[in-house]
Amino acid sequence: MHLEYQVFEADFVNAGAASSSIKKTLKQLNVNPQIVKRVVVALYEAEVNAIAHAYGGMIYADIEADKIIVKVVDKGPGIPDIEWAMQEGNSTASPEVRNMGFGAGMGLPNIRKNVDRLDVQSTVGVGTTVEMEVHF
Amino acid sequence: MKVQELVDKLGLKVLSGANGLDREIDGCYISDLLSDVMGNAMEGNIWITLQTHKNVMAVASLKEMACIILVKNLVPNDETIEQSNEEDLPILQTSLPTYEIAGKVYNLLNS
């Protein structure tokens, strides 16, 4: 099953909508609730990242019999130092975003803790692709 | 314990999501950082926070938390209330600051 969602820059009102939709689909497919919980944490963080840090982008989810693969492709600005961004506590979020309770530098570490495979590719000026896989 | 009993015993005000007052409570999590809640809260938890925007509902819903308690008489915005009513996930309000309501919730859940 292939699902696609568009996310828009700074669209915090709809943050979580794609995650919620994918969660419902996984539940309908009777995926183990503990696995669904892990997918949801990772998905939400990736969705919020695209909204808070990027100029919008797309979420592609492919659900197979034994796994889900999610790819979040944003339109930039890109991450200059992925290793730095992956460390807990590091964030480039604006003060406004931090006041909402985001931008604590926990997003990417939260993703890493909850997925079986994570691949972050980024080119400054082009965009970032976060690909993650969770096995059922 | 159901959310209704929490409301009655601690004198909380139900701001929205009243259809969800029969939700079962299992523990409590306190944080104003959304990623912290996302990463560490558990299903059935009460969430005590001062955040009032709609993303609080998104997180509470995704994590299947029992209810939200807003401290210091804080009021959620309209979009937050709307989603709370749609999802039957109650938002409760207390006049107390976080430390004091946390103590009361702790005593109640551990009594």
Side-chain angles (χ1 to χ4, degrees):
Chain A
M1 185 187 293
H2 180 77
L3 303 165
E4 290 189 12
Y5 305 87
Q6 195 169 1
V7 289
F8 300 94
E9 181 183 4
D11 184 22
F12 285 101
V13 168
N14 290 309
S19 302
S20 181
S21 169
I22 293 171
K23 178 187 168 188
K24 276 181 196 145
T25 304
L26 292 174
K27 282 192 152 188
Q28 280 163 6
L29 293 170
N30 285 322
V31 174
N32 179 332
Q34 295 306 319
I35 303 279
V36 176
K37 284 185 168 68
R38 287 172 51 211
V39 172
V40 164
V41 173
L43 254 175
Y44 180 75
E45 295 292 1
E47 188 178 351
V48 167
N49 276 348
I51 291 167
H53 296 289
Y55 311 132
M58 290 296 296
I59 298 176
Y60 305 99
D62 284 287
I63 304 170
E64 299 172 16
D66 60 343
K67 67 185 169 201
I68 177 169
I69 300 168
V70 179
K71 203 189 264 191
V72 183
V73 183
D74 74 41
K75 299 177 189 164
I79 306 170
D81 187 344
I82 292 174
E83 203 178 312
W84 182 88
M86 290 298 292
Q87 286 170 30
E88 193 144 2
N90 289 349
S91 177
T92 57
S94 67
E96 291 81 10
V97 169
R98 286 173 198 259
N99 284 343
M100 292 174 78
F102 295 115
M106 300 175 79
L108 284 169
N110 260 357
I111 295 175
R112 188 170 47 196
K113 279 177 213 159
N114 284 284
V115 300
D116 294 304
R117 181 175 68 81
L118 174 63
D119 183 29
V120 183
Q121 302 283 341
S122 192
T123 307
V124 174
V126 179
T128 301
T129 298
V130 175
E131 190 172 332
M132 51 204 186
E133 189 174 306
V134 176
H135 302 154
F136 298 158
Chain B
M1 182 185 296
K2 293 197 185 298
V3 175
Q4 181 68 61
E5 195 179 340
L6 177 81
V7 169
D8 295 340
K9 291 201 165 153
L10 299 186
L12 304 172
K13 189 172 172 188
V14 180
L15 298 180
S16 57
N19 287 338
L21 290 173
D22 60 346
R23 280 173 175 257
E24 196 66 37
I25 291 168
D26 183 9
C28 177
Y29 199 77
I30 304 177
S31 181
D32 300 318
L33 292 177
L34 273 64
S35 286
D36 180 36
V37 178
M38 206 59 215
N40 299 297
M42 307 288 281
E43 184 177 342
N45 279 179
I46 300 164
W47 179 11
I48 302 176
T49 184
L50 52 66
Q51 297 285 0
T52 56
H53 54 84
K54 195 188 171 197
N55 297 276
V56 171
M57 273 307 307
V59 171
S61 165
L62 286 168
K63 297 295 284 186
E64 299 180 32
M65 300 178 87
C67 62
I68 294 162
I69 300 178
L70 294 180
V71 298
K72 297 189 283 187
N73 280 334
L74 286 163
V75 177
N77 60 27
D78 292 346
E79 291 153 343
T80 313
I81 288 175
E82 199 178 313
Q83 195 178 345
S84 163
N85 287 328
E86 277 170 16
E87 307 217 12
D88 297 335
L89 203 160
I91 298 179
L92 316 172
Q93 186 196 56
T94 177
S95 59
L96 299 174
T98 305
Y99 174 69
E100 290 179 32
I101 192 67
K104 287 177 188 289
V105 167
Y106 184 88
N107 285 333
L108 185 62
L109 295 186
N110 288 284
S111 63

